[in-house]
Amino acid sequence: MKNKRYSDNDINAIYRVIEQRRDMRHFTSEPVTKELLNRLIRAAHFAPSVGFMQPWRFIKISSFPLRQQIHQLVEQERISTAEELGVREDEFMKLKVEGLLECAEVLVVSLMADRDKHIFGRRTLPEMDVASVSCAIQNMWLAARAEGIGLGWVSIFDPKKLANLLNIPASAKPIAILCIGHVEEFYDKPMLESEDWAKRQKLEYLVFENQWQDNK
Amino acid sequence: MKNKRYSDNDINAIYRVIEQRRDMRHFTSEPVTKELLNRLIRAAHFAPSVGFMQPWRFIKISSFPLRQQIHQLVEQERISTAEELGVREDEFMKLKVEGLLECAEVLVVSLMADRDKHIFGRRTLPEMDVASVSCAIQNMWLAARAEGIGLGWVSIFDPKKLANLLNIPASAKPIAILCIGHVEEFYDKPMLESEDWAKRQKLEYLVFENQWQDNK
């Protein structure tokens, strides 16, 4: 693969999709074609993985009653999170944190079973399988944005309850509920920034040299 | 942001970079400009993050003696991993798992300090900060590939020892040593596939419907 640097146009497209990707929670009812969904899952499968373990598993939720049960699990955890947030409880409860009942497709993404057999790159950092699956989801997210499709990663759920619901074995673990679908428009900024939940940090405060510096 | 779907050319560029990105361990000595490195770090900062916590911190290693100490830590853990691998010890020891002493730039990427304060999306899945930082690194990886620059994620190190070396506080945690630099050429396939460490799995075995299925 000698052809190294991409054209300026292609490089610009890649930086643009990185900047314009959003965690979406508002969707229209328009269906997503099977071909498009397959392209996104295929993009995920090209992610890097620690020791090439490819720890990602995708469960497509085609049953609407099952989707409703998943929504109930998220709703339970949303309330528990709000209670634990204390002073920010009301503010949190006003946020839209998922679009599970509206989006065209729901995918649960899980870590594979029997992960402990894989120690390449994980002996001291077992969470590297989560890292690999996250890279896979980021691939899907960017591909979806380019295709004009919204994607939202919901992590407000109890993984044990979701595992029970989907017969996921104890040695695996679901880490994402993905809402995928067409959108009216993409948010200009991250929704949590527009809603004043948090501000974007200045990048210069996050980059140190040779040792940790706490600039904040 | 009404303009939703990208042009076919742009979409193709994005799928192409997803497919051509590689975990690189071979680098040339050619320097990487400060501007280019900054573009990659800026791409990381546009990643999604759970509750918009932006948990990524970047430590640029400009001291060569420090880089050599980091290399020593990786070498120690490489040997420990090999021993634990047992029957595959020799096979593992033949693999090139990092390009730390050759690459132009080394970045250590760490989770932020005081992560426990952030429970939005993390009450039941605290590892979502690792997920966010991994999405950030995947952004860098794709941007680097498009710019013709190689990137390798090394996770073969003891995070406590690396934290000690860089004065990273106990509530933070380093999860990546990134090797960044020019390359002679990008690998055609993942190195661990070419070296017969593992095979690429068939995607159809990794996609289930409505419940877990163990197809393997």
Side-chain angles (χ1 to χ4, degrees):
Chain A
M1 212 190 281
K2 282 279 183 191
N3 185 10
K4 286 191 287 193
R5 188 177 179 279
Y6 286 20
S7 69
D8 287 345
N9 275 349
D10 289 352
I11 292 174
N12 289 340
I14 287 150
Y15 280 113
R16 186 154 61 98
V17 78
I18 284 172
E19 294 189 24
Q20 295 188 340
R21 180 215 51 80
R22 291 288 174 270
D23 194 354
M24 298 302 298
R25 292 105 190 256
H26 295 85
F27 299 92
T28 71
S29 58
E30 189 184 342
V32 166
T33 66
K34 195 174 167 179
E35 291 70 27
L36 203 164
L37 188 64
N38 286 345
R39 286 200 294 279
L40 301 184
I41 296 174
R42 188 169 172 275
H45 193 41
F46 276 104
S49 64
V50 63
F52 204 41
M53 74 185 278
Q54 306 161 74
W56 38 79
R57 300 294 182 269
F58 305 93
I59 307 177
K60 186 181 160 172
I61 308 300
S62 57
S63 152
F64 196 75
L66 187 57
R67 188 199 285 223
Q68 287 172 313
Q69 287 178 284
I70 293 172
H71 179 256
Q72 276 306 310
L73 288 187
V74 171
E75 191 53 25
Q76 277 174 29
E77 177 52 30
R78 190 171 78 95
I79 292 163
S80 300
T81 297
E83 285 169 1
E84 200 164 317
L85 278 165
V87 292
R88 299 194 79 179
E89 177 175 350
D90 291 348
E91 190 187 351
F92 175 78
M93 284 302 285
K94 282 179 196 146
L95 297 171
K96 183 163 169 65
V97 295
E98 47 81 18
L100 265 169
L101 298 181
E102 307 93 81
C103 64
E105 297 289 344
V106 173
L107 281 184
V108 170
V109 188
S110 176
L111 301 172
M112 67 189 285
D114 298 326
R115 296 174 280 137
D116 293 348
K117 290 179 191 162
H118 295 261
I119 62 163
F120 188 143
R122 293 183 68 231
R123 206 186 71 94
T124 54
L125 286 163
E127 63 267 55
M128 282 304 104
D129 55 357
V130 174
S132 302
V133 175
S134 304
C135 289
I137 293 173
Q138 182 67 357
N139 274 0
M140 292 183 78
W141 226 329
L142 295 169
R145 177 61 192 89
E147 298 244 27
I149 298 294
L151 185 151
W153 180 338
V154 179
S155 64
I156 299 177
F157 62 88
D158 179 329
K160 284 187 186 155
K161 289 181 186 166
L162 185 58
N164 284 342
L165 189 63
L166 304 177
N167 298 316
I168 296 174
S171 66
K173 184 178 186 181
I175 63 165
I177 302 170
L178 302 183
C179 300
I180 299 171
H182 290 273
V183 298
E184 279 292 331
E185 56 182 329
F186 286 91
Y187 314 137
D188 278 327
K189 294 196 286 187
M191 210 201 65
L192 295 180
E193 191 179 1
S194 307
E195 301 277 345
D196 287 327
W197 179 264
K199 291 187 198 312
R200 188 176 291 279
Q201 296 183 54
K202 286 191 177 173
L203 184 52
E204 60 261 40
Y205 293 160
L206 313 182
V207 184
F208 315 142
E209 193 163 347
N210 292 323
Q211 60 172 334
W212 190 268
Q213 291 155 260
D214 234 330
N215 290 318
K216 286 202 304 173
Chain B
M1 212 189 281
K2 283 279 184 191
N3 186 9
K4 286 190 287 192
R5 189 178 180 280
Y6 286 18
S7 70
D8 287 345
N9 275 349
D10 289 352
I11 292 175
N12 289 341
I14 287 151
Y15 280 113
R16 186 155 61 98
V17 79
I18 284 172
E19 293 188 25
Q20 295 187 340
R21 181 215 51 79
R22 290 288 174 270
D23 193 353
M24 298 303 298
R25 291 105 190 256
H26 295 85
F27 299 92
T28 70
S29 58
E30 188 185 342
V32 166
T33 65
K34 196 173 167 180
E35 292 70 29
L36 203 164
L37 188 64
N38 286 345
R39 286 200 293 279
L40 301 184
I41 297 175
R42 187 168 172 275
H45 193 40
F46 276 104
S49 64
V50 63
F52 203 42
M53 74 185 277
Q54 305 159 78
W56 38 78
R57 300 294 181 270
F58 306 93
I59 307 177
K60 188 182 158 172
I61 307 301
S62 58
S63 152
F64 196 75
L66 186 56
R67 189 199 284 223
Q68 287 172 312
Q69 287 178 284
I70 294 171
H71 179 257
Q72 277 307 310
L73 288 186
V74 171
E75 191 54 24
Q76 277 175 28
E77 176 53 31
R78 189 170 80 93
I79 292 163
S80 300
T81 296
E83 286 168 0
E84 200 164 317
L85 278 165
V87 291
R88 300 194 78 181
E89 178 175 350
D90 290 347
E91 191 185 349
F92 175 78
M93 284 301 286
K94 282 179 197 145
L95 297 171
K96 182 163 169 65
V97 295
E98 47 81 18
L100 264 168
L101 298 181
E102 307 92 82
C103 64
E105 297 289 345
V106 173
L107 280 184
V108 170
V109 188
S110 176
L111 301 172
M112 67 189 286
D114 297 327
R115 296 175 282 138
D116 293 349
K117 291 179 190 162
H118 294 262
I119 61 164
F120 188 144
R122 293 184 67 231
R123 206 186 72 93
T124 54
L125 286 162
E127 62 268 54
M128 283 303 105
D129 55 357
V130 174
S132 301
V133 175
S134 303
C135 290
I137 293 173
Q138 181 67 358
N139 274 0
M140 293 184 77
W141 226 328
L142 295 170
R145 176 63 192 88
E147 299 245 25
I149 297 294
L151 185 150
W153 180 338
V154 179
S155 64
I156 299 177
F157 62 89
D158 179 328
K160 284 187 186 155
K161 289 181 187 166
L162 185 58
N164 284 342
L165 189 62
L166 304 177
N167 298 316
I168 296 174
S171 65
K173 184 178 187 180
I175 63 165
I177 302 170
L178 302 183
C179 300
I180 299 171
H182 290 272
V183 298
E184 279 292 330
E185 56 182 330
F186 286 91
Y187 313 137
D188 278 328
K189 294 197 287 187
M191 209 200 67
L192 295 180
E193 191 179 0
S194 307
E195 300 278 343
D196 288 326
W197 179 264
K199 290 185 199 314
R200 188 175 291 278
Q201 295 184 53
K202 286 192 177 174
L203 185 52
E204 60 262 40
Y205 294 159
L206 313 182
V207 184
F208 314 143
E209 192 163 348
N210 292 322
Q211 59 172 334
W212 189 268
Q213 292 155 259
D214 234 329
N215 290 318
K216 285 202 302 176

